[in-house]
Amino acid sequence: MSKKELLKKIEDGLLSSYLDKDYSNDRDTLADIEEIYEGQSEKYRKLIKQILFKSKTHIQKVRVARVISIAEASGRLQSLKDKDKENVFSIFKKHVDEYGLAANYRNFDKMTKEEMSNILEQLDLTALFDEIDASSEDE
Amino acid sequence: MKSDKNIATPKEILDELESHNLVLLFHDLVTYALNQMKGNDVVSAEKLVGDIFEKTVTGVRKWNKSYSFKSFLFLAVKSLISQYNDQYGGKVMSIDYEVKLENFSGLDSGNSVETEALKVKLSKRLSENIPPPDEIEGMIFESWMDEMKKPQYIADFWKLDIKEVYKGIKRLERKLNPIRELLNSKSNE
């Protein structure tokens, strides 16, 4: 066994101890923290607060961006549908099927903007419009 | 372009964060980073870990849910330390092993007498630490060299309390740099 292999075993053992460790919140780790951290926990608590705050604000930002993009997507799909209903419908249906979403396809024509937005919200819009665009170019 | 359904959404990341004891996790990531770096630059290690969290929650670094969240974080630390290593050269230990732990192919490819002699040399080097390793640290170190990685297996094998094993690993971790130096050296010493 080479030195390199032996070093790998030692590093793997160390990493494995971290990966096997229980970091769940429901476990009582308070004693561990007090024992190991020697006053660092307060500093890390502040950092964690900042991380959670950033995580929450990012979710808000994504939601706002998505609402705008859904509205745009819905409008774009409506106008494409008017031009080539059959083709757009078949691609749209395929994407809805892929995501296992329940939708009343027969009412595609009568679908309100809100209903369409609800479905679009759950689809990969880029993939959907890429396919519609590619199909239009082929024709 | 098809989306990868394995990439976590921001909400899934937040749920994961909230289900973990983040102070404990953050600290262990910093300790892991610090010990993979040569020296004791705690500020850099904390910055590196903080950066991973920030990039994860803002969607810059994608968490592929095929890995557990904690694996993703520890492997991210490992990957960034390689980059840090490239940037700062000699300041950081060379990390040169495969990411996928389970793919390790295994046992002796060389002379087993030489291997055993090397293990004895490593144990001796470890014992020269100040303070020297205690009995449990020695047991853990031997287990790792014999490819016994999981803390629970080590505890079962040596009939130890699992908590004692984890505490022993913490102490042992701080004593590994001379071992790394010896194993990274090109000489036969």
Side-chain angles (χ1 to χ4, degrees), chain A residues 1-33 35-38 40-63 95 98-100 123-128 130-131, chain B residues 1-3 5 10-11 14 17-28 30-32 36 42 46 53-54 57-59 70-71 74-75 78 96-98 101 104 106-111 115 118-119 122 141 144-145 147 149-151 166-167 169-170 173 176 179-180 182-189:
Chain A
M1 192 188 314
S2 67
K3 282 180 172 183
K4 196 175 161 185
E5 286 169 328
L6 206 46
L7 179 60
K8 182 181 181 301
K9 282 180 197 289
I10 293 166
E11 298 290 8
D12 283 357
L14 180 61
L15 184 55
S16 182
S17 75
Y18 284 116
L19 299 185
D20 276 18
K21 195 165 169 179
D22 182 4
Y23 290 101
S24 58
N25 233 345
D26 50 4
R27 188 184 147 236
D28 180 17
T29 47
L30 199 61
D32 297 344
I33 292 171
E35 189 172 336
I36 299 167
Y37 299 128
E38 296 161 0
Q40 278 175 305
S41 53
E42 195 48 44
K43 179 180 167 189
Y44 290 157
R45 249 184 268 279
K46 281 182 189 163
L47 286 169
I48 296 305
K49 264 190 187 173
Q50 288 170 9
I51 288 163
L52 288 172
F53 177 75
K54 278 183 186 166
S55 178
K56 285 170 188 169
T57 52
H58 181 68
I59 288 173
Q60 277 302 108
K61 278 183 196 166
V62 169
R63 273 191 193 142
H95 280 257
E98 249 178 44
Y99 279 79
L123 299 182
D124 179 345
L125 297 177
T126 313
L128 175 68
D130 276 356
E131 195 167 337
Chain B
M1 188 178 75
K2 195 171 168 61
S3 73
K5 290 175 195 169
K11 177 71 173 69
L14 178 63
L17 289 171
E18 288 180 335
S19 71
H20 281 79
N21 183 322
L22 290 178
V23 176
L24 185 64
L25 184 57
F26 193 94
H27 183 275
D28 279 2
V30 169
T31 308
Y32 179 66
Q36 295 296 314
V42 182
E46 288 173 349
F53 272 105
E54 182 168 340
V57 301
T58 53
K70 64 181 172 184
S71 299
F74 278 100
L75 294 175
K78 210 165 104 169
D96 185 17
Y97 54 93
E98 294 296 317
L101 294 179
F104 182 65
L107 294 171
D108 283 1
S109 54
N111 184 327
T115 301
L118 183 55
K119 285 181 184 175
L122 290 174
F141 188 66
W144 285 352
M145 289 195 293
E147 220 181 333
K149 295 183 295 197
K150 302 262 180 193
Y166 275 117
K167 285 178 188 171
I169 290 171
K170 281 278 160 213
E173 189 176 10
L176 288 178
I179 302 296
R180 292 189 178 110
L182 194 150
L183 290 172
N184 276 320
S185 70
K186 287 178 182 168
S187 74
N188 289 325
E189 277 299 307

Side-chain angles (χ1 to χ4, degrees), chain A residues 62-137:
Chain A
V62 169
R63 273 191 193 142
V64 170
R66 201 162 165 74
V67 166
I68 293 165
S69 109
I70 296 287
E72 285 170 0
S74 175
R76 192 172 162 205
L77 193 64
Q78 287 285 3
S79 68
L80 286 166
K81 191 180 79 174
D82 294 340
K83 286 181 197 162
D84 184 3
K85 188 175 87 176
E86 203 171 312
N87 191 33
V88 171
F89 174 55
S90 100
I91 295 169
F92 178 72
K93 182 178 180 300
K94 193 185 97 182
H95 280 257
V96 169
D97 282 344
E98 249 178 44
Y99 279 79
L101 303 173
N104 187 348
Y105 306 124
R106 283 170 300 183
N107 286 340
F108 187 60
D109 270 344
K110 292 174 186 166
M111 205 177 274
T112 64
K113 273 193 171 178
E114 193 186 346
E115 285 167 337
M116 193 172 279
S117 296
N118 284 340
I119 294 172
L120 287 173
E121 204 174 38
Q122 300 172 71
L123 299 182
D124 179 345
L125 297 177
T126 313
L128 175 68
F129 285 110
D130 276 356
E131 195 167 337
I132 291 173
D133 290 346
S135 159
S136 310
E137 280 167 18

Side-chain angles (χ1 to χ4, degrees), chain B residues 32-50:
Chain B
Y32 179 66
L34 190 61
N35 286 308
Q36 295 296 314
M37 296 169 169
K38 205 171 190 175
N40 51 6
D41 187 356
V42 182
V43 175
S44 289
E46 288 173 349
K47 192 173 175 304
L48 182 136
V49 173

